Amino acid sequence: MLILTAIHPHLEILYQDSGLIAINKPHGLLVHKSAIAADTNLFAVQLLRDQLGMKVYPVHRLDRKTSGILLFALNEELNSLMQQQFMNGLVSKRYHAIVRGYTPDKMEIDYALKRDDGVLQDAFTSFVTLQKNEVPFAIGKHETSRYSFVELTPTTGRMHQLRKHMAHIFHPIIGDRPHGCNKQNKYFTNKLDMSTMLLHASELSFVHPLSDLKIKIKAGFQPEFSRMIQTLGFRPIP
């Protein structure tokens, strides 16, 4: 698996045809330039453009600290068609995360979220718990800490939806700021040298706008996520 380096990043390509391309975005890589992130000059759009030698159009977004599948169009027509699919809920997305505490075996979260302008939007997420484990991390008043490895399926695509939904049910994603647990995040940063968020976009499925073929793209975990899976005593998943 190819990983991001500070000198010459090279993006792992998961899928490519004449109109679409998907990469496995590393943790910490912005999708495009942002006024709120003046600390970097590396962006997925720029890097992929330079890697391919052609213009690319991101058809959706991933948070900076979220790794996994990021889909681009190679022309404006497909960009528009794919954005419509995302907006109309026609794209199936699956994520993996490591969260604080023992989550229910499965759960549906139907909890509306506010946009930055105050508008309330419906938001729905379901998840299943793959594994649970208790490890000897003394955080706060407890001598051990419990974690769950979950698979999340959002059916809406609101800003920070998974992060906010998991925080809402008191099982925040490890490494999430500002929605997560400060004590957990501080421990993982200082004791485990982890600087990311344990949320990964694992699978993306859609019908190709031009061929009408069902496309399913999968992304393996980035090295930092894999290291945390091992550190927390979870079994690797296929």
Side-chain angles (χ1 to χ4, degrees):
M1 180 179 292
L2 299 169
I3 62 174
L4 182 67
T5 66
I7 299 173
H8 184 68
H10 190 77
L11 300 171
E12 178 188 4
I13 294 175
L14 303 168
Y15 171 87
Q16 184 175 8
D17 61 33
S18 60
L20 296 172
I21 185 168
I23 66 167
N24 190 354
K25 187 183 84 66
H27 298 283
L29 180 63
L30 282 165
V31 175
H32 51 67
K33 290 183 180 179
S34 171
I36 62 173
D39 60 333
T40 182
N41 60 358
L42 294 178
F43 312 95
V45 172
Q46 162 212 336
L47 294 174
L48 187 59
R49 178 201 66 201
D50 293 348
Q51 189 169 319
L52 298 177
M54 63 189 301
K55 190 171 184 179
V56 297
Y57 304 81
V59 300
H60 66 123
R61 302 290 186 267
L62 286 180
D63 293 340
R64 181 178 187 173
K65 292 174 72 175
T66 303
S67 62
I69 302 169
L70 184 61
L71 185 66
F72 294 82
L74 300 179
N75 58 66
E76 292 184 2
E77 178 191 8
L78 272 175
N79 183 38
S80 176
L81 292 172
M82 283 307 307
Q83 286 194 7
Q84 289 176 34
Q85 287 203 31
F86 273 93
M87 287 188 293
N88 294 331
L90 300 176
V91 178
S92 175
K93 296 168 284 185
R94 187 168 297 170
Y95 292 75
H96 286 91
I98 295 175
V99 303
R100 184 189 68 186
Y102 282 179
T103 50
D105 290 344
K106 58 183 177 180
M107 187 176 185
E108 294 180 346
I109 306 170
D110 187 357
Y111 178 69
L113 299 172
K114 281 186 180 180
R115 296 191 319 205
D116 290 342
D117 59 8
V119 173
L120 201 62
Q121 294 180 304
D122 291 339
F124 186 87
T125 301
S126 63
F127 72 81
V128 296
T129 300
L130 303 176
Q131 300 175 49
K132 304 175 186 179
N133 201 26
E134 187 171 1
V135 293
F137 294 171
I139 301 175
K141 61 182 180 181
H142 303 290
E143 294 183 359
T144 62
S145 298
R146 293 178 172 183
Y147 301 97
S148 296
F149 194 3
V150 298
E151 183 179 274
L152 301 140
T153 304
T155 52
T156 51
R158 309 309 181 196
M159 179 72 76
H160 296 173
Q161 176 175 318
L162 299 179
R163 299 165 61 178
K164 291 179 178 179
H165 271 179
M166 295 312 292
H168 173 68
I169 64 168
F170 304 106
H171 293 290
I173 296 170
I174 301 300
D176 182 9
R177 298 180 180 88
H179 310 294
C181 172
N182 289 334
K183 289 182 180 179
Q184 294 284 338
N185 293 342
K186 185 176 180 180
Y187 185 92
F188 274 73
T189 298
N190 295 339
K191 302 295 186 181
L192 303 179
D193 195 29
M194 190 196 81
S195 60
T196 189
M197 178 174 63
L198 298 180
L199 178 63
H200 179 75
S202 305
E203 187 175 305
L204 199 68
S205 301
F206 57 92
V207 174
H208 199 291
L210 300 184
S211 67
D212 285 333
L213 294 175
K214 180 71 176 289
I215 306 296
K216 180 182 285 189
I217 305 169
K218 294 185 177 183
F221 295 116
Q222 292 286 343
E224 186 71 341
F225 201 117
S226 295
R227 181 171 74 90
M228 288 299 106
I229 291 173
Q230 184 176 20
T231 298
L232 295 172
F234 292 120
R235 300 181 307 276
I237 63 172

